[in-house]
Amino acid sequence: MAAARANNRSRTAERILDIAERLVQTRGFNAFSYGDIARELGITTASLHYHFPGKAELGEALIKRYAQRFSGALGRIDKEMPEAVAKLRAYAGLYAEELAGKRMCMCGILAAEYQTLPEAMRGEVIRFFDDHQRWLAGVLAQGQSQGKLRLAGSLEEIAEGIISTLEGAMLIALPYGDTARFDSTTSRLLAALRA
Amino acid sequence: MAAARANNRSRTAERILDIAERLVQTRGFNAFSYGDIARELGITTASLHYHFPGKAELGEALIKRYAQRFSGALGRIDKEMPEAVAKLRAYAGLYAEELAGKRMCMCGILAAEYQTLPEAMRGEVIRFFDDHQRWLAGVLAQGQSQGKLRLAGSLEEIAEGIISTLEGAMLIALPYGDTARFDSTTSRLLAALRA
DNA sequence: GTCTATAGGCAGATAGAC
DNA sequence: GTCTATCTGCCTATAGAC
């Protein structure tokens, strides 16, 4: 999942987002500060406020950019992979990549901190999961009509379950620093869906 | 899962733990302060330091008590339920109870914050998951020999997958404030294991 | 056990010069 | 765009009286 920059944001703003993104995904939104970013970037916190008025706005931009990058990846998967099972595997692969960098899914970690988030960020977290659920339900429908997946019940619920399982597998893999934990749960999940 | 107090801790210390427990499970370890507890308890933060020297020690006590309560619950499940499927359902029920109180599993939320935790707390988080995995693997073995579960591959890995799925389902249910999301994923998980 | 008083540090944020 | 200077508030923590 490569970087795809098409905003009218400055280079500095992008670097701020890069650093903040890593900090959120590894420590959580409440466990990093403007000071952390400023130190790493070699500027002052006052300068940070020029690019993002406050932490809430920074957080909002963070999720939006993250979600957009995922959207792009999902679009590419749709274009490049004809088969549902391959799509699901690729989807899980997106999370595996993050985990390889010792990062939790941003929206997963924000879900854990949900009650403490500024309103604007909450909406974006929900939207992220809704979008993925919709995309997954579509893939499931396709796999079902292709005869590649054997599914019982609501596709939306199955999609929810897939997201839950992947997020949970990432979450538990974190303390163990162990990608294998994620991989085995993922393969098992896919195997259970296959016809 | 009722409270089971058998420590030589004071009543105040237990009340501190009760409040802190709720705060951790709803906001995370990094998003609550001694001040929050003090305000709610009607004493000063200085007094808090008498009972728990620092936030790290409080955190450690918090996980230990939580894990102990779970241990007790697992023991009761073993004693009261002869059948593996019922045990698994009861296990999932423990998490459902927490979620009904709008709480995330303590160790699940601490997993998300793992990188920022004091060393002593990290060990306890790992131990929690290890213990549950061992217990679940035992239940799976029993269900298999009873002919009630149809399992392929490593029981330890399946146990890992169960924990991941339950934690993930809780995590995603949080932003939606929706217990149904957890329940549907849970039933689906159990159905997939049944013979 | 609980208090007052206090410390030092860091948080997010703003004003205004350059 | 970035800086210095500054603010207010909160954080964890300690000393010592009661």
Side-chain angles (χ1 to χ4, degrees), chain B residues 27 34 38 42 46 49 55 70 84 105-106 109 111 157 161 176 190:
Chain B
R27 306 176 53 84
Y34 264 39
H49 283 282
K55 208 184 171 187
F70 255 93
C105 167
M106 185 190 286
I109 206 161
E157 279 184 23
Y176 289 94
L190 291 180

Side-chain angles (χ1 to χ4, degrees), chain A residues 26 108-109 111-112 114-116 126 129-130 133 152 157-158 160-161 164-165 168-169 171-172 175-176 181 184-185 188, chain B residues 26-27 108-109 111-112 114-116 126 129-130 133 152 157-158 160-161 164-165 168-169 171-172 175-176 181 184-185 188:
Chain A
T26 53
I109 205 161
Y114 195 75
Q115 309 241 42
T116 71
I126 293 276
F129 290 125
D130 283 349
Q133 188 178 343
E157 278 184 23
I158 299 173
E160 266 177 41
S164 292
T165 304
L171 184 70
I172 303 301
Y176 288 93
R181 280 182 107 82
S184 83
T185 296
R188 220 164 263 286
Chain B
T26 52
R27 306 176 53 84
I109 206 161
Y114 195 75
Q115 309 242 39
T116 72
I126 293 278
F129 290 125
D130 283 348
Q133 188 178 343
E157 279 184 23
I158 299 173
E160 267 177 40
S164 292
T165 304
L171 185 69
I172 303 302
Y176 289 94
R181 282 183 105 84
S184 83
T185 296
R188 222 163 260 286

Side-chain angles (χ1 to χ4, degrees), chain A residues 64-76:
Chain A
K64 280 184 177 155
R65 191 182 71 155
Y66 186 78
Q68 210 173 320
R69 218 162 57 232
F70 254 94
S71 269
L74 299 189
R76 278 191 296 282

